[in-house]
Amino acid sequence: MSWILAAVYCGVIWLVFAKLRLLRLTLPLTIVLASVGPMLIVVLCPVFSSLHAACRGGRTD
């Protein structure tokens, strides 16, 4: 799950800064992005795992 979140985060960063050039990538912004991304993944993984419906049979009846 964490690699999916990391891929989505990197994809959004790439779209905003490289492909669409919506914002300019400066050093302070690079530091913020490099620290916020992993923290967001660390926080969201336990949240998603606790909210995920668990079942043994693979059915959600």
Side-chain angles (χ1 to χ4, degrees):
M1 181 66 161
S2 62
W3 66 272
I4 295 171
L5 291 173
V8 169
Y9 182 77
C10 290
V12 169
I13 297 300
W14 176 76
L15 276 175
V16 168
F17 293 104
K19 187 69 175 169
L20 301 176
R21 298 191 192 276
L22 296 176
L23 294 173
R24 240 185 120 165
L25 192 59
T26 60
L27 181 62
L29 187 57
T30 305
I31 294 169
V32 169
L33 290 174
S35 61
V36 168
M39 287 190 317
L40 188 67
I41 292 170
V42 166
V43 169
L44 286 180
C45 279
V47 170
F48 286 156
S49 65
S50 67
L51 294 177
H52 187 271
C55 62
R56 292 184 179 194
R59 301 168 85 183
T60 58
D61 293 329

